[in-house]
Amino acid sequence: SGGYSYLYEPLWWIGMTAMILGEVANFAAYAFAPAILVTPLGALSIIFSAVLAHFILNERLHMFGVVGCILCVVGSVGIVLHAPKEKRIDSVNEIWHLATQPGFIVYSCLAVVAALVLIFWVVHRTEQRKMLVYIAICSLMGSLTVISVKAVAIALKLSFSGVNQFIYVPTWFFIVVVIICCLVQLNYLNKALDSFNTAVVSPVYYVMFTILTILANMIMYKVVYASG
């Protein structure tokens, strides 16, 4: 139905709790490795989602789906093996400096505007391609989430080592961005999963999310990667 009745389902909350636990580990990974390396490794979740949907939800995974999952894994391995080295970052202010460069500001504005257009205009005027609209919204917000999550993860790592990063305004700005983007992603990903086949939604979301995340990181960290 596309509504919010799933909020009354205990099984949904169990799944959400499990996902949060997994994302906590993913969150920690961003503090120790480049986002362009961590994100593609999410291909493993696509395989598990597709297989579980096939056996538990009776959402049949046909040959094209199997080939698509294999290609996701092969592409992810290729990206991981050839991921550029990332320069060490010693403060959130360094990330803030990179995030306020003209290139990334333009990307962020385009991503936010595109998401708003999809939310307030396109999603109400399409039916057959609504899944792609939902996933596009999640992916656009997800690319900004990854940048902000990495900043917050580094802030926590540095703070635990004795260099408090929570006295800086950029740290709290990134935290607010993470919260807003995660809520938007959660809402529209649930809409997509509520209305469409999980075995289809998961691979499409993974591919679109990974492409936009890598693009955002290339734009933001291009000077860092070049110097590394």
Side-chain angles (χ1 to χ4, degrees):
S1 63
Y4 299 94
S5 58
Y6 56 83
L7 293 174
Y8 297 99
E9 296 290 339
L11 188 60
W12 184 86
W13 284 105
I14 293 173
M16 178 56 58
T17 302
M19 189 181 76
I20 290 173
L21 293 175
E23 289 304 318
V24 168
N26 198 42
F27 178 89
Y30 283 111
F32 299 96
I36 201 171
L37 175 62
V38 175
T39 302
L41 291 175
L44 292 176
S45 68
I46 300 304
I47 305 303
F48 283 111
S49 295
V51 172
L52 291 175
H54 179 84
F55 289 105
I56 297 177
L57 302 179
N58 294 320
E59 296 179 354
R60 299 303 173 191
L61 187 63
H62 300 290
M63 183 56 64
F64 284 113
V66 174
V67 173
C69 288
I70 293 173
L71 290 176
C72 283
V73 174
V74 172
S76 296
V77 171
I79 293 172
V80 169
L81 291 177
H82 299 89
K85 294 182 179 179
E86 187 179 52
K87 183 180 177 182
R88 179 178 175 179
I89 296 177
D90 296 318
S91 72
V92 174
N93 286 329
E94 290 185 37
I95 299 181
W96 178 256
H97 173 72
L98 294 170
T100 52
Q101 295 299 307
F104 188 74
I105 290 177
V106 170
Y107 172 81
S108 300
C109 291
L110 290 175
V112 172
V113 169
L116 291 175
V117 170
L118 291 173
I119 291 171
F120 293 107
W121 189 70
V122 178
V123 76
H124 301 294
R125 290 170 171 77
T126 183
E127 288 297 332
Q128 295 180 344
R129 299 179 180 178
K130 188 168 286 189
M131 183 191 76
L132 292 177
V133 176
Y134 288 152
I135 293 175
I137 295 169
C138 294
S139 300
L140 287 167
M141 292 293 97
S143 65
L144 299 180
T145 303
V146 168
I147 297 295
S148 301
V149 162
K150 183 170 181 62
V152 177
I154 289 176
L156 286 171
K157 183 180 74 170
L158 294 173
S159 297
F160 285 135
S161 66
V163 184
N164 187 8
Q165 298 295 304
F166 290 89
I167 60 175
Y168 303 116
V169 174
T171 302
W172 294 102
F173 175 82
F174 285 124
I175 290 174
V176 171
V177 172
V178 169
I179 293 172
I180 294 174
C181 290
C182 283
L183 289 176
V184 173
Q185 285 178 261
L186 180 64
N187 181 42
Y188 286 96
L189 183 58
N190 273 287
K191 285 181 179 293
L193 292 171
D194 183 40
S195 306
F196 302 95
N197 194 314
T198 305
V200 176
V201 171
S202 295
V204 174
Y205 176 52
Y206 167 75
V207 171
M208 194 178 296
F209 170 72
T210 302
I211 290 173
L212 289 175
T213 298
I214 291 176
L215 176 62
N217 278 272
M218 287 174 60
I219 294 172
M220 180 171 171
Y221 290 103
K222 60 180 179 180
V223 177
V224 177
Y225 289 145
S227 63

